[in-house]
């Protein structure tokens, strides 16, 4: 629950033109020089990364602490008046508890109930310094009044000036005609000026009446009443507004933060978008000992441009209400039992594309719905869940609607013996359901085109999956051997509704799976560049056999075929999901070599080469027919099913010292002499904070069999990705990214930004341009280009304008860690 407001107010801001009226013309005294405010420049001992040029250092007390309730004193001379008055002069020092007064002259009336001091004077109290022209202190309480005051709070790094400063009996400080800033002495970048400022160090906030914000001594905002934090604790009140400009006009959001309790808070955000209308958003968070969660959402009553901005075929119209809701909760019933709840929904699939949640968040593709219970024991793992999600496309093709799991019950167990023998048990029972309206032939109309739901996706129903396994693993430092036998049994209870079909409603399938995996490890000592390494050579062999079984009558609820990769060399499963068991009779051979540092055990290099050799064609695809290969007209699928060997897979993971790292993967078809997929990444990370990423991607059209319909690319993909963040100094970061589609000669994303982190303020300024593919990867004809600018300005200790873009920076520039704009 770390969130806290940067700034709070009970009245909206108005323009600085209102400053001309009498009540707001507060005129605090001019500030003192830095050397009179306990300011110490860093000099040679400046810490690395420091953005301030110095720090406040409170000197030691000049007098030892007296007994409780007593006053210690020191003076050059003293005298008693005829009325019992005491006068001290010269270098007078008084101390009572943690409060110390230094002044040239001090008077104590006969009643000994107060102290009157002439200036220039200095008061110190628990990391607080106040200098003034005259002062009066109560000896019966903590009350005090200082005229012509200049104050410094060392721990909070704040300072200011006031015509009058009063310490109230309850420990708060009241300042008249005063200023407040966290900027270092000599800097006038910003300050808050108010007629009446109240600072409460115990609760951690301050308030000001008739306050104005000055930037460079120029008034920019005015508030009749403002409430602001003076430390890191959360405070209730208005946050700084978030302001943006786009094609929809001015976008203004004014969050209000409510600190409900130490373990609960909420934020309400009225938002006004010039061309669209008004909305209200909110977020409620809680963090209990065994439970935590978030509820967020937003609602717009009347979107005046909903239809104008909608895609072709959308049902959105001008005047529609727009909304979203997202609830997340997680907790536990004990050390082994946990549960999760999630429910997300939006009024339409274009909500986040139009409104987003934060900078760069226009690509929210779905909202999840989940209720899950999970038990993890030493042998058994049990899971029960109901799951689904709303896919956010507008318009949404009914054929792309996902299946809900209502419910899904899963049980897994493993028993191991000292001999290396082990047994595994897996069982899953899931009911799949989705709402797709079609006629008896499975036809429906989408975007004025008649489409058909494949018969394998037309049913709702229940699937029972049983997957017992028996294996033996022998593992030593020099190698391993593992034979394994599995059995996959599937049985269904299906309901095709009105769909005309002769398929059975209770199909079943039983398929045995056998595999053998073995490898050797050879080691030698190796010296390179004066460093000691251990080099390994690790040949590996894997054999997998899965017979082809008729799966034509089985549905397809959650299954897709996997693209070939290094991991596919060593697994017997060709599909993800539970509705297909891919036939396989394959031998995989590979070899890896590693370089491991002797001193630290860190792996510096891993290089692997491998290839699979097929002893039979693969006939099982999503259609499930064991007797029919794909048509030769579909060359890619026919070739993948009949080729006698896989592409040659080469992978390299190499740490080139402490700052450079590269990863390379190449899938090369040595039969057709062509590259099927290639990727190369080079990253530089420096301790100073610099990050540079260079990436290259190549993928042959049709390489990934999971891509179907509109999701299937109609071209070979060749992309170059260059991103980086350069920390020019502890204050300045430069950020940029270009993702370039070389195939189609266009930039998919361009981003340029600057982040400035000074002692008392921070600035993020970013411009971004990106391509929206309208959820149709098969064509680029309907792609559009969007642009946006982002500004965030933070006055440290007071707050700032604009929302955070740090999450987008981290995804756009891997390895980058944005500097937090906390207090100086």
């Amino acid at each position: 629950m770390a969130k806290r407001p940067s700034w709070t107010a009970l009245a909206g801001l108005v323009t600085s033109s209102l400053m001309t009226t009498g009540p707001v013309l507060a005129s605090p005294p001019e500030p003192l020089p830095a050397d009179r405010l306990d300011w110490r420049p860093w000099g040679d001992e400046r810490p690395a990364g420091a953005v301030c040029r110095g720090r406040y250092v409170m000197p030691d007390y000049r007098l030892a602490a007296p007994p409780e309730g007593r006053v210690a004193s020191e003076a050059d001379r003293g005298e008693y008046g005829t009325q019992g008055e005491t006068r001290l002069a010269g270098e007078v020092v008084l101390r009572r508890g943690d409060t110390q007064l230094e002044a040239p002259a001090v008077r104590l009336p006969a009643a000994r109930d107060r102290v009157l001091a002439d200036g220039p004077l200095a008061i110190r109290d628990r990391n607080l310094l106040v200098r003034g022209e005259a002062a009066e202190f109560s000896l019966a309480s903590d009350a005090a009044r200082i005229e012509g005051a200049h104050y410094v709070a060392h721990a909070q790094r704040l300072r200011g000036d006031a015509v009058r400063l009063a310490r109230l009996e309850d420990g708060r400080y009241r300042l008249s005609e005063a200023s407040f800033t966290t900027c270092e002495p000599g800097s006038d970048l910003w300050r808050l000026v108010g007629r009446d400022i109240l600072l409460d160090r115990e609760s951690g906030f301050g308030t000001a009446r008739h306050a104005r914000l000055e930037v460079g001594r120029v008034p920019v905002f005015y508030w009749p009443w403002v409430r602001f934090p003076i430390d890191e604790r959360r405070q209730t009140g208005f946050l700084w507004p978030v302001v943006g400009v786009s094609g929809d006009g001015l976008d203004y959001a004014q969050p209000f933060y409510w600190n409900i309790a130490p373990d609960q808070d909420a934020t309400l955000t009225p938002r006004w978008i010039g061309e669209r209308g008004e909305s209200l958003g909110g977020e409620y968070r809680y963090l209990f000992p065994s439970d935590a969660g978030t509820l967020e959402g937003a609602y717009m009553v009347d979107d005046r441009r909903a239809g104008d901005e909608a895609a072709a075929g959308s049902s959105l119209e001008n005047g529609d209400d727009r909304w979203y809701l997202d609830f997340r909760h997680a907790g536990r019933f004990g050390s082994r039992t946990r549960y999760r709840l999630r429910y997300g929904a939006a009024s339409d699939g274009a909500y986040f594309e139009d409104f987003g949640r934060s900078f760069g968040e226009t690509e929210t593709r779905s909202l999840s719905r989940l209720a899950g219970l999970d038990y993890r024991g030493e042998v058994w793992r049990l899971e029960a869940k109901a799951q689904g999600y709303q896919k956010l496309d507008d318009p949404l093709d009914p054929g792309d609607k996902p299946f809900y799991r209502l419910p899904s019950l899963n049980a897994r167990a493993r028993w191991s013996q000292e001999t290396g023998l082990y047994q595994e048990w897996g069982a899953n029972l899931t009911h799949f359901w989705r709402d797709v309206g079609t006629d008896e032939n499975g036809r429906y109309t989408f975007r004025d085109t008649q489409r058909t739901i494949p018969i394998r996706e037309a049913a709702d129903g229940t699937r029972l999956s049983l997957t017992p396994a028996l294996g033996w693993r022998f593992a030593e430092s020099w190698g391993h051997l593992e034979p394994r036998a599995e059995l996959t049994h599937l049985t269904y209870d299906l309901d095709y509704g009105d769909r005309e079909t002769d398929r059975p409603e209770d199909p079943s399938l039983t398929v045995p799976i056998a595999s053998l995996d073995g490898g050797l490890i050879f080691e030698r000592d190796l010296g390179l560049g004066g460093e000691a390494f251990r080099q390994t050579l690790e040949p590996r062999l894997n054999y997998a056999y899965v017979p082809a079984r008729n799966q034509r009558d089985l549905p397809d609820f959650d299954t897709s075929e996997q693209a070939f990769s290094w991991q596919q060399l060593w697994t017997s499963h060709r599909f993800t999901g539970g509705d297909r068991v891919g036939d396989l009779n394959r031998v995989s051979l590979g070899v890896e070599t590693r370089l491991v540092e002797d001193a630290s055990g860190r792996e510096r290099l891993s290089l692997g080469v491998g290839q699979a050799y097929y002893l039979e064609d693969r006939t099982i695809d999503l259609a499930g027919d064991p007797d029919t290969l794909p048509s030769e007209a579909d060359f890619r699928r026919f070739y993948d099913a009949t080729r006698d060997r896989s592409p040659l897979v080469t992978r390299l993971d190499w740490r080139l010292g402490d700052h450079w790292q590269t990863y390379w993967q190449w899938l090369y078809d040595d039969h057709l002499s062509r590259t099927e997929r290639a990727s190369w990444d080079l990253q530089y990370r420096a301790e100073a904070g610099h990050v540079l990423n260079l990436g290259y991607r190549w993928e042959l059209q049709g390489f990934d069999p999971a891509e179907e319909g509109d999701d299937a690319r109609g071209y070979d993909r060749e992309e170059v990705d260059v991103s980086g963040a350069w920390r020019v100094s502890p204050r300045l970061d430069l950020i940029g990214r270009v993702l370039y589609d070389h195939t189609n000669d266009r930039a998919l994303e361009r981003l340029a930004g600057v982040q400035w982190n000074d002692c008392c303020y921070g600035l993020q300024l970013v411009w971004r341009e990106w391509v929206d593919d309208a959820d149709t990867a098969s064509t680029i004809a309907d792609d559009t280009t969007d642009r946006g600018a982002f500004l965030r300005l933070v006055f440290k200790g007071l707050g700032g304008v604009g929302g955070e873009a740090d999450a987008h920076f981290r995804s756009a520039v891997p390895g980058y860690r944005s500097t937090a704009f906390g207090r100086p």
Side-chain angles (χ1 to χ4, degrees), residues 481-537:
L481 180 66
E482 182 176 4
R484 177 184 173 91
E486 303 176 42
L487 186 70
T488 296
H489 176 75
L490 303 174
T491 184
Y492 294 85
D493 181 13
L494 304 177
D495 179 7
Y496 285 92
D498 296 331
R499 184 71 178 266
E500 292 184 356
T501 179
D502 56 359
R503 289 190 170 210
E505 295 183 348
D506 56 350
S508 63
L509 171 72
T510 302
V511 183
I513 301 173
S515 65
L516 176 66
D517 189 75
L520 298 173
I521 301 175
F522 302 95
E523 293 185 354
R524 66 166 181 168
D525 294 330
L526 182 67
L528 291 173
E531 296 186 56
F533 293 91
R534 281 183 296 113
Q535 182 187 18
T536 69
L537 184 66

Side-chain angles (χ1 to χ4, degrees), residues 589-610:
L589 300 175
V591 61
E592 282 191 271
T593 182
R594 307 174 194 269
L595 280 179
V596 181
E597 291 180 346
D598 263 352
S600 65
R602 182 176 63 168
E603 184 178 283
R604 292 286 295 272
L605 180 144
S606 174
L607 173 64
V609 180

